[in-house]
Amino acid sequence: RVRRIPEVLYVYNIATPHNDYKVHLHDQWKVDALVRSRSPLLRLPGARDPQRQGQPPSVQILTPQNHSTLRPQDELVLEYRAEGLWMPEEGWVEVLLDGLLLQRGLLNHHAAVLIPVPLAAGTHGAEVEIVNEEGEVLAGAAVSFVVTPGEGGAGAGSELWGT
């Protein structure tokens, strides 16, 4: 049985310098390498969505939307939808902000990433890519947005690519 819990159960403070990924980044990379070096599990029959079978993977950035303008104090949540790969060993998702890798993780159909604030005023770019084991980008989406200290300002543009 499932029911909604309205209370916040956990708040993760990504801005603190005591984050595990900031303090123990090299240890996390070692664990990542160890896990990836192990043999993959066997696929279960019917694990792939039959309606997506044979279709190439795709990714779409849902927020920030095109032509969005943000203030530096705004909390930025990058929300995306990825389709086409249903088994974790087929690939992963990489999230980049201004060309720097922000997060690499297992492929989720629909996910959101909290981007550390504040962002400096100016134009920023965010990318979400589906990458396979060989490092080949199978699909991706990019969006640019403007952070301005006041109201209004310039907008953003979006670009999509895929196989």
Side-chain angles (χ1 to χ4, degrees):
R1 188 172 177 112
V2 178
R3 84 181 166 127
R4 181 181 180 279
I5 301 173
E7 298 87 27
V8 174
L9 298 180
Y10 185 77
V11 175
Y12 188 81
N13 182 3
I14 197 166
T16 179
H18 305 293
N19 275 319
D20 197 42
Y21 80 88
K22 291 179 182 174
V23 177
H24 301 108
L25 182 60
H26 293 290
D27 293 331
Q28 289 188 349
W29 285 345
K30 288 178 189 175
V31 171
D32 176 70
L34 173 69
V35 170
R36 291 182 192 278
S37 71
R38 295 185 176 168
S39 359
L41 300 174
L42 298 174
R43 292 179 192 259
L44 297 174
R48 182 175 293 279
D49 181 359
Q51 291 167 0
R52 293 268 328 158
Q53 204 151 10
Q55 295 181 20
S58 65
V59 64
Q60 175 186 16
I61 296 177
L62 305 173
T63 60
Q65 296 180 356
N66 291 338
H67 309 293
S68 59
T69 301
L70 307 170
R71 294 182 310 248
Q73 67 270 23
D74 287 342
E75 183 176 88
L76 178 61
V77 176
L78 176 68
E79 185 179 12
Y80 66 89
R81 179 184 1 232
E83 297 178 334
L85 296 177
W86 291 88
M87 299 300 287
E89 69 270 12
E90 290 183 313
W92 60 87
V93 172
E94 292 183 346
V95 178
L96 299 99
L97 177 63
D98 294 332
L100 300 174
L101 183 64
L102 187 64
Q103 179 178 358
R104 174 184 290 151
L106 294 178
L107 184 65
N108 292 319
H109 174 69
H110 188 186
V113 177
L114 176 65
I115 295 183
V117 292
L119 292 176
T123 303
H124 296 275
E127 301 172 45
V128 178
E129 299 175 341
I130 299 176
V131 181
N132 68 10
E133 291 177 331
E134 292 79 34
E136 176 187 8
V137 177
L138 303 176
V143 64
S144 62
F145 56 93
V146 174
V147 175
T148 178
E151 295 291 324
S158 178
E159 173 185 345
L160 298 173
W161 68 91
T163 55

